[in-house]
Every structure is written in structure tokens, then in C-alpha cells.
């Protein structure tokens, strides 16, 4: 975030109903939101679409920001949820409309990039973790993907710090073999 103090103030004012503050806030967080979405989604266009969804969610639900945690922490939750939703949507769309094989067709960067592959593998692992152990997802997302410090991650997940650390350890232990198998 460019200037945490001004962003926090804009968020508080926007949450209180100040429309001008909301417009300024959205303009200020847009570049960082695109970057954060890019940590989840391998294709720039998909990250930009997810960022638009994030900004829309922020605009719609800013009144739900109570200021108990930093705005950036609240925003990370919105980013994580929107990116995971975008991934599910892309996966569903791909399953519903299989692409015809055309030798002259350009290669899709989502299936060829090493970086992209690792992100897709991570999203697959998160989806599997959510099905099998949903309580382990938030600690892993907040700490390892969103890169929040332990205290912020615990606060955002709504669990004690020790619980966050033990769940994070368990999540990493479960996800590691899934990622290694796909490498």
C-alpha cells in the first residue's frame, strides 16, 4: 500500500459512508490489488479480472470494515476470496467448454509457464485442502500467500496465535506432498 496512514484513514471514512473517500481509496489500492491477485492467478488477464471483482467487493462491503484490524489485512481477505472464486470459475468454464485441438492455435501461457503451473498447483492444493480440512485454509492463505505476519494472520483468521501456528504447520505438512507430486 502506498501510504498506510492515508489508506487507513480513507478506509475509515469510506466505511462511515464518505463516497469521495471510497473513490480515492479504490484508486489508491488498485495497483496493489492487481499485484496481490497476481500472486494467486497465473494469467495477468485473470488477475486483473479478479482485481476488478475485489474493488467491486470493497465498494459494496466497505461498511463491513470495522477498523479492528488494518485495512490491508481486511483487503487481503477479500483478495484471497475473490481470487479463489475466479480460479473456480475458470476451472468450471474450462471443464464445460473443452477447447478444440488446433495445431495453429497459440499456446496458452497458463499451461506452459513454470510460474503459472506452480500457482495453478497451489490453487488446486488449496481447493483440496478446503474439501478435506477447511480449518487449515485460512492460516495457510494469510501467512504463506498473503504474507501477513503471524499476529495479523491469527487476528484475521479469528484464532489464537498458537492455534494459527499449529494449523499452519499442519496445512504445510498436508499441502507439501501434493505440490511435490505435481512438480
Amino acid at each position: 500500500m502506498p501510504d498506510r496512514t492515508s489508506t487507513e484513514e480513507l478506509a475509515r471514512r469510506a466505511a462511515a459512508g464518505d463516497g469521495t473517500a471510497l473513490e480515492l481509496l479504490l484508486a489508491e489500492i488498485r495497483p496493489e490489488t492487481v499485484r496481490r491477485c497476481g500472486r494467486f492467478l497465473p494469467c495477468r488477464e485473470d488477475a486483473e479480472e479478479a482485481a476488478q471483482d475485489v474493488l467491486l467487493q470493497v465498494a459494496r462491503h466497505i461498511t463491513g470494515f470495522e477498523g479492528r484490524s488494518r485495512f490491508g489485512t481486511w483487503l487481503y481477505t477479500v483478495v484471497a476470496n475473490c481470487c479463489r472464486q475466479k480460479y473456480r470459475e475458470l476451472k468450471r468454464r474450462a471443464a464445460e467448454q473443452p477447447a478444440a485441438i488446433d495445431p495453429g492455435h497459440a499456446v496458452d501461457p497458463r499451461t506452459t509457464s513454470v510460474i503459472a503451473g506452480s500457482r495453478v498447483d497451489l490453487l488446486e492444493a488449496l481447493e483440496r485442502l478446503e474439501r478435506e480440512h477447511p480449518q487449515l485454509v485460512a492460516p495457510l492463505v494469510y501467512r504463506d500467500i498473503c504474507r501477513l505476519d503471524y499476529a495479523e494472520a491469527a487476528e484475521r483468521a479469528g484464532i489464537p496465535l498458537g492455534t494459527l501456528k499449529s494449523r499452519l504447520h499442519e496445512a504445510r505438512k498436508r499441502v507439501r506432498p501434493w505440490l511435490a507430486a505435481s512438480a
Side-chain angles (χ1 to χ4, degrees), residues 86-130:
K86 175 58 70 180
Y87 173 71
R88 287 185 196 108
E89 176 187 315
L90 292 168
K91 191 173 164 187
R92 186 174 50 249
R93 196 179 316 153
E96 291 170 357
Q97 302 172 347
I101 299 173
D102 177 6
H105 184 69
V107 178
D108 183 352
R110 285 180 259 194
T111 59
T112 57
S113 165
V114 173
I115 295 171
S118 66
R119 291 183 197 167
V120 169
D121 294 339
L122 177 60
L123 288 165
E124 287 286 341
L126 284 173
E127 202 168 86
R128 181 174 175 186
L129 187 64
E130 189 168 34

Side-chain angles (χ1 to χ4, degrees), residues 8-183:
E8 294 296 323
E9 180 57 31
L10 285 173
R12 277 193 286 283
R13 288 180 24 217
D18 183 337
T20 303
L22 177 60
E23 286 181 36
L24 293 170
L25 177 67
L26 294 174
E28 186 171 310
I29 66 172
R30 188 185 188 297
E32 180 66 18
T33 299
V34 172
R35 278 191 294 278
R36 287 179 180 187
C37 289
R39 289 185 186 162
F40 283 90
L41 298 164
C43 182
R44 176 138 180 101
E45 291 81 14
D46 296 338
E48 288 175 352
E49 280 184 38
Q52 285 302 110
D53 294 343
V54 169
L55 296 175
L56 182 62
Q57 290 301 315
V58 168
R60 285 184 177 162
H61 301 289
I62 190 67
T63 56
F65 173 63
E66 299 172 350
R68 288 185 299 204
S69 62
R70 287 189 8 240
F71 173 74
T73 305
W74 184 84
L75 181 61
Y76 262 130
T77 303
V78 179
V79 167
N81 291 338
C82 286
C83 287
R84 290 172 61 213
Q85 183 59 39
K86 175 58 70 180
Y87 173 71
R88 287 185 196 108
E89 176 187 315
L90 292 168
K91 191 173 164 187
R92 186 174 50 249
R93 196 179 316 153
E96 291 170 357
Q97 302 172 347
I101 299 173
D102 177 6
H105 184 69
V107 178
D108 183 352
R110 285 180 259 194
T111 59
T112 57
S113 165
V114 173
I115 295 171
S118 66
R119 291 183 197 167
V120 169
D121 294 339
L122 177 60
L123 288 165
E124 287 286 341
L126 284 173
E127 202 168 86
R128 181 174 175 186
L129 187 64
E130 189 168 34
R131 281 191 310 269
E132 297 177 13
H133 304 282
Q135 75 281 6
L136 301 179
V137 174
L140 188 68
V141 168
Y142 292 139
R143 179 68 187 127
D144 288 359
I145 298 172
C146 297
R147 300 179 185 155
L148 298 179
D149 64 36
Y150 286 100
E152 278 186 295
E155 180 183 337
R156 195 69 211 140
I159 55 178
L161 182 59
T163 303
L164 176 104
K165 288 181 178 181
S166 68
R167 287 183 183 175
L168 180 59
H169 173 74
E170 184 66 22
R172 288 172 176 162
K173 187 170 81 174
R174 291 186 180 279
V175 168
R176 193 173 295 121
W178 301 339
L179 295 175
S182 63

